[in-house]
Structure formats: C-alpha cells, structure tokens
C-alpha cells in the first residue's frame, strides 16, 4: 500500500515538473522589425519560408544555427545576405 502511494506521488511530481518546464521554456526565433511602422514579426524554427538573397531564392523549413546564420533545407545562409523573407502558409 505504501509502495503504491509513493509510486503515484512520484509520477504526479514527475508529470508536474515536465509540464512546468514546457510552459517556461524558450523557443528560438528571429524577430523582424519594420522601421517605418515598428511592427515586429517573429519567425520560429520549423516555419516554412521563402528567402530571397543577393544570389538566389530559397524555399523550405527554417532552422536557426546562430545569430549570424540560418539554414533553409540544409543550405546555410548568412543573415546579412538576405534581402527579403516571406512566410509561406
């Protein structure tokens, strides 16, 4: 009987801990701010985008590598080379 109560208590505390960590966890994103209107748009990992650079246009899933590079379908792109970003829905 005591063993059942301790197992139930452990499972309750474990599930509560997991749910709290999901609520307060941070998601990686890029913030785009329009200078004229001060509107902020957030792009998260796994968003489907169309990215126009100085050389080429890329379409695919966004992965954030670090603060200077992103990856679209495995192709690395420097942020300073980006001209335009469109979110595909």
């Amino acid at each position: 009987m005591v063993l059942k109560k301790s197992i139930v208590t452990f499972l309750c505390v474990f599930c509560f801990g997991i749910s709290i960590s999901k609520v307060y966890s941070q998601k990686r994103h890029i913030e785009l701010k329009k200078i004229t209107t001060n509107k902020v748009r957030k792009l998260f990992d796994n968003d489907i985008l169309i990215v126009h650079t100085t050389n080429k246009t890329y379409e695919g899933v966004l992965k954030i590598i670090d603060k200077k590079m992103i990856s679209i379908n495995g192709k690395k792109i420097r942020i300073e080379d980006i001209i335009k970003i469109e979110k595909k829905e």
Side-chain angles (χ1 to χ4, degrees), residues 1-24:
M1 188 71 171
V2 175
L3 184 61
K4 286 183 183 178
K5 285 183 181 180
S6 63
I7 290 173
V8 170
T9 305
F10 172 75
L11 289 176
C12 289
V13 171
F14 182 72
C15 292
F16 181 73
I18 288 175
S19 64
I20 291 296
S21 68
K22 294 282 184 186
V23 171
Y24 291 107

Tab-separated table of all heavy atoms in Angstrom, residues 1-24:
chain	number	residue	atom	x	y	z
A	1	MET	N	0.817	-1.190	0.000
A	1	MET	CA	0.000	0.000	0.000
A	1	MET	C	0.865	1.260	0.000
A	1	MET	O	0.583	2.187	-0.732
A	1	MET	CB	-0.928	-0.045	1.225
A	1	MET	CG	-1.935	1.042	1.216
A	1	MET	SD	-3.133	0.696	-0.072
A	1	MET	CE	-4.321	1.898	0.272
A	2	VAL	N	1.887	1.254	0.839
A	2	VAL	CA	2.784	2.404	0.911
A	2	VAL	C	3.560	2.549	-0.391
A	2	VAL	O	3.793	3.660	-0.868
A	2	VAL	CB	3.739	2.258	2.119
A	2	VAL	CG1	4.751	3.375	2.142
A	2	VAL	CG2	2.952	2.219	3.410
A	3	LEU	N	3.922	1.434	-0.985
A	3	LEU	CA	4.654	1.460	-2.251
A	3	LEU	C	3.810	2.066	-3.365
A	3	LEU	O	4.302	2.865	-4.170
A	3	LEU	CB	5.096	0.044	-2.625
A	3	LEU	CG	5.961	-0.085	-3.872
A	3	LEU	CD1	7.264	0.696	-3.692
A	3	LEU	CD2	6.246	-1.533	-4.168
A	4	LYS	N	2.519	1.742	-3.411
A	4	LYS	CA	1.624	2.310	-4.422
A	4	LYS	C	1.506	3.820	-4.256
A	4	LYS	O	1.525	4.566	-5.234
A	4	LYS	CB	0.238	1.678	-4.334
A	4	LYS	CG	0.166	0.269	-4.857
A	4	LYS	CD	-1.256	-0.237	-4.783
A	4	LYS	CE	-1.346	-1.678	-5.227
A	4	LYS	NZ	-2.726	-2.187	-5.121
A	5	LYS	N	1.385	4.297	-3.023
A	5	LYS	CA	1.260	5.734	-2.769
A	5	LYS	C	2.538	6.463	-3.173
A	5	LYS	O	2.483	7.550	-3.746
A	5	LYS	CB	0.961	5.998	-1.289
A	5	LYS	CG	-0.446	5.679	-0.893
A	5	LYS	CD	-0.686	6.034	0.563
A	5	LYS	CE	-2.087	5.684	0.967
A	5	LYS	NZ	-2.343	6.014	2.384
A	6	SER	N	3.676	5.861	-2.884
A	6	SER	CA	4.930	6.525	-3.241
A	6	SER	C	5.127	6.547	-4.753
A	6	SER	O	5.640	7.530	-5.304
A	6	SER	CB	6.119	5.846	-2.553
A	6	SER	OG	6.240	4.513	-3.005
A	7	ILE	N	4.700	5.517	-5.464
A	7	ILE	CA	4.805	5.492	-6.930
A	7	ILE	C	3.874	6.536	-7.530
A	7	ILE	O	4.256	7.287	-8.440
A	7	ILE	CB	4.495	4.076	-7.475
A	7	ILE	CG1	5.624	3.114	-7.103
A	7	ILE	CG2	4.317	4.114	-8.989
A	7	ILE	CD1	5.328	1.670	-7.450
A	8	VAL	N	2.646	6.621	-7.028
A	8	VAL	CA	1.688	7.621	-7.524
A	8	VAL	C	2.203	9.026	-7.240
A	8	VAL	O	2.128	9.913	-8.095
A	8	VAL	CB	0.297	7.391	-6.901
A	8	VAL	CG1	-0.635	8.554	-7.198
A	8	VAL	CG2	-0.297	6.092	-7.396
A	9	THR	N	2.749	9.244	-6.058
A	9	THR	CA	3.302	10.559	-5.712
A	9	THR	C	4.468	10.913	-6.633
A	9	THR	O	4.541	12.043	-7.138
A	9	THR	CB	3.775	10.565	-4.243
A	9	THR	OG1	2.698	10.178	-3.412
A	9	THR	CG2	4.267	11.942	-3.841
A	10	PHE	N	5.346	9.967	-6.875
A	10	PHE	CA	6.477	10.206	-7.770
A	10	PHE	C	5.998	10.560	-9.171
A	10	PHE	O	6.493	11.498	-9.799
A	10	PHE	CB	7.389	8.983	-7.819
A	10	PHE	CG	8.466	9.080	-8.863
A	10	PHE	CD1	9.562	9.900	-8.659
A	10	PHE	CD2	8.360	8.383	-10.059
A	10	PHE	CE1	10.554	10.011	-9.622
A	10	PHE	CE2	9.336	8.486	-11.029
A	10	PHE	CZ	10.439	9.307	-10.817
A	11	LEU	N	5.030	9.813	-9.708
A	11	LEU	CA	4.513	10.086	-11.050
A	11	LEU	C	3.841	11.457	-11.126
A	11	LEU	O	3.986	12.172	-12.128
A	11	LEU	CB	3.542	8.982	-11.482
A	11	LEU	CG	4.179	7.628	-11.787
A	11	LEU	CD1	3.109	6.606	-12.095
A	11	LEU	CD2	5.160	7.744	-12.946
A	12	CYS	N	3.112	11.842	-10.099
A	12	CYS	CA	2.470	13.164	-10.080
A	12	CYS	C	3.507	14.283	-10.093
A	12	CYS	O	3.387	15.246	-10.845
A	12	CYS	CB	1.564	13.300	-8.864
A	12	CYS	SG	0.077	12.295	-8.965
A	13	VAL	N	4.522	14.157	-9.267
A	13	VAL	CA	5.581	15.174	-9.212
A	13	VAL	C	6.353	15.209	-10.523
A	13	VAL	O	6.671	16.279	-11.049
A	13	VAL	CB	6.526	14.909	-8.012
A	13	VAL	CG1	7.753	15.800	-8.067
A	13	VAL	CG2	5.776	15.098	-6.710
A	14	PHE	N	6.633	14.064	-11.105
A	14	PHE	CA	7.355	13.981	-12.376
A	14	PHE	C	6.563	14.653	-13.500
A	14	PHE	O	7.103	15.457	-14.265
A	14	PHE	CB	7.633	12.510	-12.705
A	14	PHE	CG	8.411	12.299	-13.961
A	14	PHE	CD1	9.763	12.609	-14.011
A	14	PHE	CD2	7.798	11.810	-15.100
A	14	PHE	CE1	10.491	12.416	-15.169
A	14	PHE	CE2	8.510	11.605	-16.269
A	14	PHE	CZ	9.865	11.921	-16.300
A	15	CYS	N	5.283	14.341	-13.610
A	15	CYS	CA	4.445	14.950	-14.658
A	15	CYS	C	4.293	16.451	-14.444
A	15	CYS	O	4.305	17.225	-15.397
A	15	CYS	CB	3.068	14.284	-14.686
A	15	CYS	SG	3.132	12.579	-15.258
A	16	PHE	N	4.159	16.878	-13.210
A	16	PHE	CA	4.056	18.299	-12.910
A	16	PHE	C	5.341	19.027	-13.301
A	16	PHE	O	5.298	20.113	-13.883
A	16	PHE	CB	3.766	18.501	-11.423
A	16	PHE	CG	3.612	19.933	-11.031
A	16	PHE	CD1	2.488	20.645	-11.389
A	16	PHE	CD2	4.610	20.568	-10.305
A	16	PHE	CE1	2.352	21.971	-11.028
A	16	PHE	CE2	4.483	21.891	-9.938
A	16	PHE	CZ	3.347	22.597	-10.298
A	17	GLY	N	6.470	18.432	-13.017
A	17	GLY	CA	7.754	19.038	-13.376
A	17	GLY	C	7.928	19.170	-14.876
A	17	GLY	O	8.413	20.191	-15.377
A	18	ILE	N	7.524	18.172	-15.623
A	18	ILE	CA	7.626	18.233	-17.088
A	18	ILE	C	6.701	19.304	-17.645
A	18	ILE	O	7.077	20.076	-18.522
A	18	ILE	CB	7.319	16.853	-17.703
A	18	ILE	CG1	8.472	15.901	-17.419
A	18	ILE	CG2	7.098	16.962	-19.208
A	18	ILE	CD1	8.227	14.484	-17.881
A	19	SER	N	5.472	19.382	-17.133
A	19	SER	CA	4.526	20.376	-17.657
A	19	SER	C	4.980	21.793	-17.343
A	19	SER	O	4.824	22.699	-18.175
A	19	SER	CB	3.128	20.117	-17.107
A	19	SER	OG	3.102	20.282	-15.704
A	20	ILE	N	5.555	22.031	-16.187
A	20	ILE	CA	6.043	23.372	-15.839
A	20	ILE	C	7.235	23.749	-16.701
A	20	ILE	O	7.355	24.893	-17.145
A	20	ILE	CB	6.419	23.441	-14.336
A	20	ILE	CG1	5.163	23.360	-13.482
A	20	ILE	CG2	7.189	24.696	-14.014
A	20	ILE	CD1	4.203	24.502	-13.661
A	21	SER	N	8.120	22.818	-17.002
A	21	SER	CA	9.288	23.141	-17.817
A	21	SER	C	8.876	23.486	-19.245
A	21	SER	O	9.510	24.318	-19.884
A	21	SER	CB	10.288	21.988	-17.817
A	21	SER	OG	9.751	20.873	-18.495
A	22	LYS	N	7.827	22.876	-19.769
A	22	LYS	CA	7.343	23.198	-21.112
A	22	LYS	C	6.729	24.594	-21.159
A	22	LYS	O	6.852	25.301	-22.148
A	22	LYS	CB	6.305	22.171	-21.575
A	22	LYS	CG	6.863	20.804	-21.775
A	22	LYS	CD	7.594	20.714	-23.061
A	22	LYS	CE	8.056	19.294	-23.290
A	22	LYS	NZ	8.873	19.131	-24.421
A	23	VAL	N	6.072	25.004	-20.094
A	23	VAL	CA	5.417	26.314	-20.060
A	23	VAL	C	6.448	27.435	-20.067
A	23	VAL	O	6.272	28.440	-20.752
A	23	VAL	CB	4.510	26.422	-18.813
A	23	VAL	CG1	3.998	27.832	-18.620
A	23	VAL	CG2	3.344	25.460	-18.922
A	24	TYR	N	7.528	27.275	-19.335
A	24	TYR	CA	8.506	28.338	-19.188
A	24	TYR	C	9.727	28.188	-20.098
A	24	TYR	O	10.681	28.947	-19.977
A	24	TYR	CB	8.973	28.425	-17.730
A	24	TYR	CG	7.880	28.932	-16.830
A	24	TYR	CD1	7.231	28.078	-15.950
A	24	TYR	CD2	7.469	30.253	-16.886
A	24	TYR	CE1	6.219	28.527	-15.134
A	24	TYR	CE2	6.449	30.711	-16.077
A	24	TYR	CZ	5.839	29.849	-15.199
A	24	TYR	OH	4.828	30.310	-14.401
